[in-house]
Amino acid sequence: MSTTNYYKFNITSTHLGGEYVCVARRKGSSETEKSNTVSFTTAEKPKATLTPDATTISVGGSVSLSCSVRDSDGWKYEFYRKSSNTWETNVQDNRLGVSEEGIYQCRGRRETTSGSLYVSDMSDEATIRITLTNKPVITRQPSWSQIFQGEKITLTCEVQGGEKTDWWYYWLKDSHQLQGENEKLLQLTASESLNREYECMATRRDDSYSSTTWSEAFTVSLLPQPKAQLGTNKFNMSEGSRVTLTCSVNPSAGWKYFWYRDSKNSLLNTHDTDEYRSQSEVSQEGRYWCRGGRGGRGGRGDPLYYTEYSDPISVTKIIPNKATLTLQHDRPQLYQGETIALRCAIDGGNTGWEYEWETSSLLKPPNVSQYRMEALSSQHQGEYRCKGNKLRGAQSTDWSNTVTLTVIKKPRATLTSGTTTIPVGGSVSLSCSVRDSDGWKYEFYRKTPLTSWEKLVETNVGDNRVAQVSKGGIYRCRGVRETSGYLSDMSDEATIRITFTNKPVITRQPSWSQIFQGEKITLTCEVQGGEKTDWRYYWRRNSRSLPNEDEKMLQLTASESLNGEYECKTRRRDDFYSSTTWSEAFTVSVLRLKLILSVSPSWLIPGASVTLICHTEPPSAGWSFYWFKAVPNSQDSYTYEPLPGTSSGTANNSFTVHGQTHTAGYACSAGRGDPLIYTQYSRPTFVWSSGVHPSASLTVNPDRVQHFTSESLSLTCEGNSSQWRLIQFLTDDSLLSFLPPATINGSTYIKNEAPRKAVYWCESGTEFSNAVNISTHSDGVILVSPVYPVPVGESVTLLCVMKTGNIPSDVFFYKNNKLIENERRGEMKISAVSESDEGFYKCQYNGRESAQSWMAVQFVSRQQSFPMWTIGLICGLLLLILLLLLLCCSKKTKDWCFNRSQSSQQSQTTDHSCNQLEDQCNTYASPFQGESDNVTYSSVELKNVKNVKNKKPEESTVYADVRTTSSKDDEVTYAQVLPNKRKAKGKKGRTAPAATEETVYSEVKAETTHVK
């Protein structure tokens, strides 16, 4: 409680801060309300902060000092400078400019409410230094450019322009201050540890705050102690002459030179040399040294520093004896590893001498007369000379001649070869050499993958350096010094592959021009001129090696996979590296052989022989041919039975079958080689017969050759079997097919879906039926003509039918492409068929023409009377026929005896003017068809037989009947005589039908001869 209106207290701690209010109260009355709140905080006593804007000033300059008390105001400031242990005071607001160096402080002060002063704590001290502009510079004594280890040197710190100032000095070595060194001079003894950078600065002794800057760094660089070099213009001198010696130190500046003879402690007298000079002329023998010195007081005073002594030089006087240096081998160019000797010889004998050698090589010879160097190396290379020194006395010879030794790397031999293409029995020249040197002999070595290195005993050694070798292989060589036996390095290996000029040639057995699949062939590799050499053979096909084939003969079973070009080459069995070149390519072309069997005629002429011809495609030679009859089997194919007498094959590709009367199938195969290699069977080829016989027959319904594709056709097989199959042969495509066995009431119905021409027949076991020609057509008109031959004397009607089934009435009919009666009609009827009616028929309606069909006539035997003028001709013919019959009976193998010749058959068939259906054209209807099988037909072509003028073709045919027995009428021998064929007059390309040929049939009886 205070009775005053103020509250006064000293702030002695920080906890006195806070919020304060006051109230007033009178005695005996109530209090006033509380006053407003006054709050304050207390803190520790503040400390002033002195901040100079620089700490160093130059002479005449100033620096500004700033004083502050943080986070408060209302202060005034006092600045203090320490001088001679007293403080000088200067009161300012808060900033003071000073130009004197020293230690400065400041503090703040402010008045309290009571009028007293409150001061802050003093600031930290701030040192202000004055940097003088005078620059210190370091100098060195002595001032030589190089300082050598061990020399004494003095570094001086000079303050430019401050010579009269009393300074205190500071030294730095590599930025580290040298303690205890504060004088102007810094004295050093040169050593590697003092090899550094030095700096200095100066401070006034009366003002420690006034100093210079640091001097520029001064580098002290030391060199090792130098060695004096002693030289001379000559080493020998004659009596009364002098030798000039020269001493030098690098670097050469500032040196004195000191001379010594015979001992490093014997300094030459001044009358013997020019004092301290680098050259000295001497007239006495002995060993001389020199060295350099510098420093000291000059003149004759001893120097402070010496170099090392030079190497000694010996100076001798010349005596008359002469030294001569010789090399053991007169070859200044030597190889590493060799052994040589240098010999020093002195005229008058080598006794009583000591030898001295001088060389520029790295190895110094010993003091002997002969210097032997073993295993030469590059250290021996250089110039050599020698001299002799008397063992008693100071006399010596002059230096000998100089011998220069050049030591080069151990040489390598070089192996070269001459041509490696040689004939069998020849040789290859190998040459060995060591480059740029001579005096060598040579050794040759050979190895193979199976042998190690072998020295060639037949080596030719000497200057020619050549060896003759007849085998290939891996070769190398080396040189041998003739005098020392020193060996060069081996040459590089050289693989010598000998190529013989003898050319291999491939031959083939068998030598047929064509080879077919499955045949055995042998390729033989022949080396011409190398028959006596034991060869190993290599084969390749199409440039690819054939593995495991290393013999002379390559045996192959021909197949298309083996097609290609074959080559062979050989190498000697005892020499892997000697071989021939590859042979010329030999082409093996394996072909697929196709056998094609043709028969003639395709349609049987009763009693005529059938000629089989087996063609090879492509055509080739050397075959034997085998002939077979096709026998139907149950697998819609055929088995093949050899024809009698053909098991050994035939050399010809044709074979004649005699007495064939019914449809039959044939096949052929071929074989050649040893052993025989057989081909496959040819496709079966058939000869057809139109004659019907009871054991096997084929009937057609409707009975006509031509049909429309819209119609169905019924084919019926009948005979001695219940298992028939129907065969269809498309003549245009030569395509054989087995028709499906679908039958209705024993007949097979064929739907004619496309136009075609075909031959049909039945087969069962060994039975073949007659064959029929059937053609189908898609539109137009067809000719209705009988399928089977029409017997002579019967009637036949030919019609022209349209696809609709209509039979037009205005039709033209043609026979053998010739119009029959120039009038239109609905049908063509022949009331009594005769032989002349046989031929090709067709019809034409409204511009549309049918195909041609062959109408065959079935001949019957008959007798005719003929004019008397033919009797003489017939008798002559009968006599000729009898002779032929006798000859044929004794030689039944002759096909021409009882058979119609092939040319005759062809002439008959081609006379039908066939240009559409070849198979129909070959149909021949014999007048004896259906007669006894014991009939043989012979054809004899007459020449130069003239027709009687104005005779009709029919009248020129004569039948003579000659019976050989009286027992049976059917045992009759008929001879058919064909005169020369004559071209029929008519249109181009047409020939007369077979019925018009002038054919003579004769029947001969044994008992009587008569003309009916």
Side-chain angles (χ1 to χ4, degrees), residues 616-919:
T616 61
E617 285 190 2
S620 55
W623 298 98
S624 295
F625 295 90
Y626 301 86
W627 310 92
F628 303 89
K629 188 171 184 178
V631 179
N633 61 23
S634 58
Q635 282 77 36
D636 283 347
S637 61
Y638 297 91
T639 57
Y640 298 98
E641 297 178 356
L643 294 179
T646 65
S647 60
S648 298
T650 63
N652 293 329
N653 69 332
S654 63
F655 183 77
T656 302
V657 179
H658 302 289
Q660 183 65 43
T661 59
H662 303 308
T663 299
Y666 297 95
C668 66
S669 70
R672 69 178 182 180
D674 186 15
L676 276 170
I677 301 297
Y678 296 96
T679 67
Q680 295 181 342
Y681 296 107
S682 68
R683 291 175 59 183
T685 303
F686 296 87
V687 56
W688 299 298
S689 171
S690 59
V692 179
H693 53 92
S695 60
S697 64
L698 172 64
T699 58
V700 181
N701 187 23
D703 179 12
R704 64 174 185 258
V705 174
Q706 298 181 17
H707 301 265
F708 284 111
T709 56
S710 58
E711 298 175 329
S712 294
L713 177 66
S714 172
L715 300 174
T716 304
C717 296
E718 297 176 329
N720 296 336
S721 175
S722 60
Q723 299 291 329
W724 294 100
R725 66 183 180 191
L726 183 62
I727 310 301
Q728 178 189 68
F729 183 80
L730 300 179
T731 56
D732 287 344
D733 301 326
S734 297
L735 180 63
L736 182 73
S737 58
F738 300 88
L739 296 183
T743 61
I744 300 177
N745 297 327
S747 300
T748 298
Y749 287 87
I750 301 173
K751 186 176 181 181
N752 300 316
E753 296 178 348
R756 59 177 169 238
K757 301 172 186 177
V759 178
Y760 296 87
W761 70 92
C762 301
E763 296 177 350
S764 178
T766 60
E767 295 290 343
F768 288 81
S769 73
N770 59 299
V772 295
N773 255 325
I774 300 293
S775 64
T776 57
H777 309 273
S778 60
D779 55 11
V781 295
I782 61 173
L783 176 70
V784 176
S785 62
V787 172
Y788 308 104
V790 181
V792 173
E794 293 189 5
S795 65
V796 65
T797 299
L798 304 180
L799 300 174
C800 198
V801 179
M802 301 174 63
K803 187 174 181 179
T804 58
N806 295 333
I807 301 175
S809 59
D810 51 347
V811 176
F812 290 108
F813 289 92
Y814 294 82
K815 177 186 177 184
N816 296 332
N817 286 324
K818 185 176 180 181
L819 181 64
I820 302 173
E821 299 180 3
N822 190 14
E823 63 178 16
R824 301 176 185 268
R825 47 184 167 174
E827 63 181 23
M828 176 182 172
K829 186 172 183 179
I830 304 174
S831 57
V833 173
S834 66
E835 300 166 5
S836 62
D837 293 322
E838 191 173 62
F840 281 106
Y841 289 86
K842 65 179 179 180
C843 66
Q844 185 187 72
Y845 167 69
N846 197 21
R848 290 180 290 180
E849 193 174 86
S850 71
Q852 292 191 109
S853 290
W854 174 264
M855 189 182 77
V857 176
Q858 181 178 346
F859 297 102
V860 295
S861 62
R862 59 179 178 168
Q863 295 178 344
Q864 290 184 347
S865 62
F866 37 89
M868 294 297 296
W869 60 267
T870 60
I871 294 177
L873 175 61
I874 293 175
C875 290
L877 292 175
L878 292 176
L879 180 60
L880 177 60
I881 292 171
L882 290 175
L883 293 175
L884 292 175
L885 292 174
L886 291 174
L887 180 60
C888 290
C889 291
S890 61
K891 298 182 179 179
K892 291 183 178 181
T893 59
K894 301 295 184 178
D895 294 342
W896 55 269
C897 180
F898 296 105
N899 298 282
R900 182 185 300 269
S901 67
Q902 181 179 354
S903 63
S904 176
Q905 296 166 9
Q906 291 173 348
S907 68
Q908 290 183 5
T909 58
T910 55
D911 281 344
H912 296 313
S913 300
C914 175
N915 56 9
Q916 293 185 10
L917 285 171
E918 177 185 358
D919 298 306

Side-chain angles (χ1 to χ4, degrees), residues 204-223:
R204 290 174 54 174
R205 287 184 181 268
D206 60 350
D207 184 2
S208 61
Y209 298 99
S210 298
S211 65
T212 66
T213 59
W214 288 99
S215 68
E216 296 293 332
F218 186 91
T219 302
V220 175
S221 178
L222 304 181
L223 299 175

Side-chain angles (χ1 to χ4, degrees), residues 100 308 335 605 971:
E100 293 180 306
E308 292 185 22
Y335 297 102
I605 300 173
E971 294 178 354

Side-chain angles (χ1 to χ4, degrees), residues 334-336 338 408-414 434-435 437 440 478-479 481 486-491:
L334 301 167
Y335 297 102
Q336 289 180 357
E338 278 197 278
I408 60 178
K409 186 179 178 181
K410 189 175 183 180
R412 178 184 292 273
T414 300
V434 176
R435 188 181 65 173
S437 61
W440 298 91
R478 67 181 177 185
R481 282 289 194 196
Y486 175 75
L487 299 175
S488 72
D489 283 340
M490 282 286 186
S491 68

Side-chain angles (χ1 to χ4, degrees), residues 4 7 56 94 291 326-327 371 490 564 577 761 952 990:
T4 62
Y7 179 52
T56 59
N94 69 333
R291 67 174 176 171
T326 58
L327 185 63
Y371 177 34
M490 282 286 186
Y577 296 94
W761 70 92
K952 294 181 180 179
R990 298 180 182 177

Side-chain angles (χ1 to χ4, degrees), residues 126 134 164 326 382 468 571 896 980 999:
N134 306 70
K164 296 180 180 181
T326 58
Q468 300 293 335
R571 69 167 176 83
W896 55 269
N980 282 340
T999 304

Side-chain angles (χ1 to χ4, degrees), residues 285-298:
E285 290 184 316
R287 288 165 66 85
Y288 289 86
W289 290 265
C290 75
R291 67 174 176 171
R294 67 182 180 180
R297 297 183 299 275

